Amino acid sequence: MNLIFEPGIWDLSNPEIWVGVGLLIFFGILIAVGVPKMVAAQLDAKGAKIQADLDEAARLRAEAEALLAQIRKEKAEAEAQAADMMAQAEADARRLEVESKAKLEETLERRQKMAEARIAQAEAQASAEVKAAAADLAAKAAEQILAARLAGGAKDPLLDAAIGQIGDRLN
């Protein structure tokens, strides 16, 4: 049952009564001195410090998220710029390839024409040398024939006609 209603519990010789009274006096002194206010002030200060730390953490988190968003944006811009640079480089490479092919074809054509001109010049020179050598040989042969004719005094009409045609054919 309930101890409060038992006989002898409220007797002043009961030590439990005095412990309870002492406890009430102790709590009264603590209240009179202002311990609850000090404890509340300490708890409020601790709470304020914790709240300041939480606010600082929230601010730092917001800054970190903003920095992360900025970094992601810069990364996307850098990737887009790199892609543009790659596209431009590929276009430049294709353009340079076309230009190089055109220049190479032009150079090859020019060299081919120069080689053909040199060949034609060499052919003309060789032809001129052959004609000159043939003319020299014909002149020497004619000289020998004329010298032999003069020495022998005989005339050959075919030989005279051939010698007359040599000059026309060589020029």
Side-chain angles (χ1 to χ4, degrees):
M1 299 218 165
N2 201 343
L3 289 175
I4 296 175
F5 296 116
E6 285 191 26
I9 192 77
W10 293 106
D11 188 15
L12 291 179
S13 63
N14 187 359
E16 292 163 352
I17 288 289
W18 291 107
V19 169
V21 169
L23 187 60
L24 288 176
I25 292 173
F26 177 73
F27 282 135
I29 293 173
L30 289 178
I31 292 172
V33 173
V35 171
K37 289 181 183 177
M38 286 191 282
V39 169
Q42 289 293 327
L43 289 176
D44 287 343
K46 189 72 164 176
K49 184 177 185 285
I50 291 171
Q51 185 62 42
D53 289 345
L54 288 174
D55 291 344
E56 178 70 15
R59 185 186 63 80
L60 290 174
R61 180 183 175 123
E63 285 179 11
E65 287 175 351
L67 186 59
L68 180 62
Q70 180 182 358
I71 289 172
R72 284 184 179 158
K73 179 182 174 186
E74 289 174 359
K75 179 185 174 192
E77 289 173 357
E79 287 175 351
Q81 187 178 12
D84 289 345
M85 290 173 70
M86 283 298 294
Q88 184 66 32
E90 288 174 358
D92 288 346
R94 278 189 236 107
R95 181 182 48 81
L96 288 175
E97 180 183 10
V98 169
E99 288 176 3
S100 296
K101 282 183 181 178
K103 284 182 181 179
L104 179 63
E105 289 174 2
E106 180 183 313
T107 302
L108 289 176
E109 185 178 327
R110 189 174 56 243
R111 286 188 180 177
Q112 183 178 0
K113 286 180 181 178
M114 285 180 11
E116 288 173 355
R118 285 182 185 164
I119 290 171
Q121 183 182 6
E123 285 176 354
Q125 185 178 358
S127 177
E129 287 176 2
V130 167
K131 284 181 180 180
D136 285 345
L137 186 61
K140 284 182 185 178
E143 184 181 328
Q144 288 175 356
I145 292 172
L146 286 175
R149 264 172 96 201
L150 286 177
K155 286 191 174 185
D156 186 8
L158 290 175
L159 189 60
D160 289 339
I163 291 174
Q165 290 177 359
I166 289 176
D168 293 335
R169 290 187 181 179
L170 292 178
N171 290 329

